[in-house]
Amino acid sequence: MTEPSATFLLFGATGDLARRMIFPSLYNLLSDGLLPDDFLIVASGRSDMDDEAFRKEVDAALRQFLPADRYDGDVAARFVALIGYQPVDAGNADQFAKLAERIDGRLERGLSVYLSTPPSLFAPTAQGLSEAGLITPHTRIAMEKPIGKDLASSKIVNDGIGALFVEEQIFRVDHYLGKETVQNLLALRFGNVMFEPLWNTTAIDHVQITVGETVGLEGRVSYYDGVGALRDMVQNHMLQILSIIAMEPPARMDPTAVRDEKVKALRSLRPMTAETVKHLSVRGQYTPGAVGGQIVTGYADELGQPSDTETFVALKAYIDNWRWQGVPFYLRTGKRMPARQSEIVIQFKPVRHSIFGRDGQHGAGGTGLEPNTLVIRLQPEEYIRLQIMTKRPGLERQVQLEEVTLDVSLTAAFAGQRRRIAYERLILDLLAGDQTLFVRRDEVEAQWAWIDSIIDGWREANVKPAAYSSGNWGPSSAIALIERDGASWHD
Ligand code: BG6
């Protein structure tokens, strides 16, 4: 089917993600004229409400979560008029039948179902859809993470959905893939001739991926505790970023070619063991401290009890293939970090031979020769910076080198372009049936297989989170993890 789905059915419509991201994204798509004619949004949640009451809630969410200059009363009125609300409890066949009545006669023109619910409801919801006759070859289903909590449970979730949909109908959401800068990695690597020949163990010393957040638990206690940073951030977002950095060039930008290459990279991750986790990983948990000048409480205080859940993790990963042999990938992510900052750092090797005398040393006797660094900042700003060596002006007999930065601010280069919500791209692709930016089952499983090796290692070696004061980049052992190798986290 080439036409985009004419109906969008959202489960979990009264939840936080729907209010913050999904409705504002749909609003933006409508405002930009990107939704099909005669589009219908059927919103479903457990609360009992009529269309009017729900539309008011959506309008309030748009006012709250859209930038003030983006909210337009006329567009909002047109937008909420597209929405109908149907209360549905998974397992209630009558309510699914009512849902089907609302969509009656529209199935041929495509139905995109979006599950923004806890994963325990995925399979029962799919079952309800099936019994109500809502699954046809023109139906697609999108699922939010987490897909399981380990490889075994992810298989159960995937089997449940896979019993009713074929893989081409299943869209696993990782919202990082909707971020412009993450897609830009593909453009950078494969749209330029200059990076790819250097993108391997010959020229690259190591790679760093940092996703720092200043927030703490944010009231997500019931979800987060027992899950932790490794499952919440590394299993999905960070490994997706890693796979795009590490993959071989796909033959073309299509869902099969791109995901085939990503999964090969993910499968090449060297599993950890009880022995290796001790020097390849660091777990941390925040204690009271200050973030951005604000005093904040510790994780255990927010939770109301002690816990072994990590809110920070740092890893040294290896990808055992030809391209990346011996190149460490350092990953770190955490809550209550000093800054909301996500970036990728490609640290190149030093030049093979310095013609300028003693290299790598500033000051007397040194020329200041430093290896090149490529920094790709994902957020809060979006930029690409390349540190290169130049000659400092002057008449010294020995050439003095100085690092300067080739600095491309994507925000400035594309000034006037609205910064989009990652979900806009993903919803548009879901409606159009393009799976390139969605995660295939084998990718999720390869991600879990590696994560499981770390969790098993932690359990066997009894690795507990080390304390770090809020407002720091994790425990000091995270700094030692990289400094032992003669490198340091990019500042
Ligand atoms: C979510 C995690 O997937 O990503 C959250 O569950 C995290 O814990 C969020 O805060 C980060 O997303 P972003 O887009 O704000 O970097």
Side-chain angles (χ1 to χ4, degrees):
M1 198 178 60
T2 49
E3 291 300 304
S5 302
T7 307
F8 184 80
L9 167 57
L10 175 63
F11 288 90
T14 53
D16 206 44
L17 184 77
R19 285 162 18 89
R20 279 173 189 273
M21 299 289 172
I22 298 179
F23 286 119
S25 297
L26 285 162
Y27 167 96
N28 281 335
L29 294 176
L30 176 78
S31 157
D32 290 352
L34 295 171
L35 292 181
D37 292 339
D38 182 32
F39 193 63
L40 172 69
I41 300 171
V42 181
S44 147
R46 295 224 298 237
S47 321
D48 202 9
M49 246 186 287
D50 62 14
D51 289 354
E52 264 327 296
F54 186 72
R55 287 173 183 163
K56 285 207 178 88
E57 287 206 355
V58 173
D59 187 62
L62 296 177
R63 286 171 196 269
Q64 187 179 354
F65 295 113
L66 282 169
D69 60 350
R70 191 66 198 153
Y71 178 87
D72 175 321
D74 292 339
V75 181
R78 270 201 296 136
F79 177 67
V80 297
L82 303 177
I83 306 175
Y85 181 81
Q86 178 61 51
V88 175
D89 239 331
N92 185 326
D94 289 346
Q95 288 179 326
F96 272 99
K98 290 212 179 98
L99 201 60
E101 277 168 30
R102 286 189 178 254
I103 302 171
D104 194 30
R106 300 179 60 93
L107 286 180
E108 285 284 304
R109 283 184 293 144
L111 170 64
S112 285
V113 181
Y114 198 110
L115 304 181
S116 173
T117 62
S120 56
L121 297 178
F122 291 173
T125 305
Q127 194 56 40
L129 291 170
S130 166
E131 284 161 16
L134 288 171
I135 305 183
T136 75
H138 309 299
T139 308
R140 305 189 180 106
I141 191 155
M143 299 187 271
E144 273 291 334
K145 75 173 218 339
I147 299 188
K149 62 178 188 37
D150 53 20
L151 178 58
S153 54
S154 83
K155 284 189 172 171
I156 294 171
V157 175
N158 281 321
D159 285 346
I161 297 293
L164 298 167
F165 293 90
V166 293
E167 182 64 29
E168 287 65 34
Q169 294 174 290
I170 304 173
F171 290 66
R172 295 178 195 81
V173 176
D174 185 313
H175 79 275
Y176 268 55
L177 295 180
K179 291 183 191 264
E180 286 286 354
T181 339
V182 174
Q183 293 164 50
N184 229 329
L185 286 172
L186 292 166
L188 189 75
R189 281 195 63 193
F190 307 124
N192 295 291
V193 73
M194 59 200 289
F195 296 111
E196 205 42 34
L198 300 177
W199 209 259
N200 56 50
T201 183
T202 312
I204 294 179
D205 180 79
H206 70 267
V207 175
Q208 299 180 17
I209 306 173
T210 293
V211 178
E213 298 187 277
T214 52
V215 292
L217 264 189
E218 284 193 303
R220 295 164 80 219
V221 180
S222 58
Y223 157 71
Y224 196 86
D225 195 54
V227 171
L230 183 71
R231 290 184 174 102
D232 183 47
M233 294 296 288
V234 181
Q235 188 273 339
N236 36 74
H237 310 321
M238 296 189 74
L239 286 186
Q240 280 295 317
I241 295 174
L242 174 140
S243 70
I244 296 174
I245 297 171
M247 72 181 184
E248 295 302 313
R252 63 194 78 82
M253 184 71 183
D254 80 18
T256 305
V258 170
R259 298 185 303 172
D260 280 354
E261 297 307 337
K262 277 165 49 191
V263 78
K264 278 191 235 165
L266 292 166
R267 286 187 184 139
S268 307
L269 279 162
R270 184 185 301 170
M272 296 200 190
T273 63
E275 198 40 52
T276 61
V277 278
K278 288 186 238 155
H279 52 270
L280 297 180
S281 75
V282 170
R283 299 177 82 189
Q285 187 186 89
Y286 62 83
T287 56
V291 180
Q294 298 280 324
I295 304 293
V296 295
T297 53
Y299 180 81
D301 306 309
E302 275 181 70
L303 192 64
Q305 60 187 47
S307 160
D308 277 348
T309 299
E310 80 283 348
T311 60
F312 172 92
V313 62
L315 303 167
K316 179 178 168 187
Y318 282 103
I319 298 176
D320 279 334
N321 64 17
W322 197 273
R323 181 186 285 263
W324 294 113
Q325 205 39 240
V327 179
F329 281 65
Y330 299 98
L331 314 182
R332 66 174 170 168
T333 183
K335 306 264 184 211
R336 294 282 190 232
M337 302 276 101
R340 177 170 189 257
Q341 185 176 309
S342 305
E343 66 182 20
I344 297 156
V345 177
I346 310 291
Q347 182 61 62
F348 291 93
K349 289 187 171 165
V351 292
R352 284 181 199 166
H353 163 70
S354 169
I355 64 166
F356 305 106
R358 289 172 62 194
D359 57 291
Q361 290 178 33
H362 290 284
T367 58
L369 186 56
E370 299 281 349
N372 301 118
T373 309
L374 175 68
V375 180
I376 302 158
R377 175 68 70 92
L378 309 182
Q379 54 196 26
E381 321 89 342
E382 298 182 353
Y383 61 68
I384 299 172
R385 287 185 182 160
L386 180 62
Q387 306 279 107
I388 57 162
M389 296 313 301
T390 54
K391 179 189 176 301
R392 190 186 318 143
L395 300 177
E396 293 88 349
R397 285 199 61 77
Q398 188 181 25
V399 173
Q400 292 297 306
L401 297 171
E402 190 149 325
E403 242 182 344
V404 295
T405 306
L406 296 179
D407 187 351
V408 181
S409 157
L410 296 173
T411 321
F414 298 106
Q417 295 263 11
R418 180 169 63 78
R419 193 173 177 175
R420 292 187 176 275
I421 307 170
Y423 284 88
E424 292 179 44
R425 162 89 277 149
L426 299 178
I427 292 173
L428 205 57
D429 286 357
L430 166 68
L431 296 175
D434 183 342
Q435 292 185 305
T436 313
L437 298 177
F438 293 85
V439 185
R440 209 165 58 187
R441 176 172 180 157
D442 51 3
E443 290 179 83
V444 175
E445 296 189 353
Q447 290 170 182
W448 273 125
W450 189 65
I451 294 296
D452 280 2
S453 78
I454 301 170
I455 292 173
D456 292 348
W458 283 347
R459 195 182 45 249
E460 284 167 41
N462 198 24
V463 177
K464 303 281 184 216
Y468 63 95
S469 305
S470 293
N472 285 290
W473 287 105
S476 55
S477 44
I479 297 171
L481 176 84
I482 187 165
E483 293 198 344
R484 278 201 292 272
D485 298 340
S488 55
W489 292 108
H490 183 253
D491 203 335

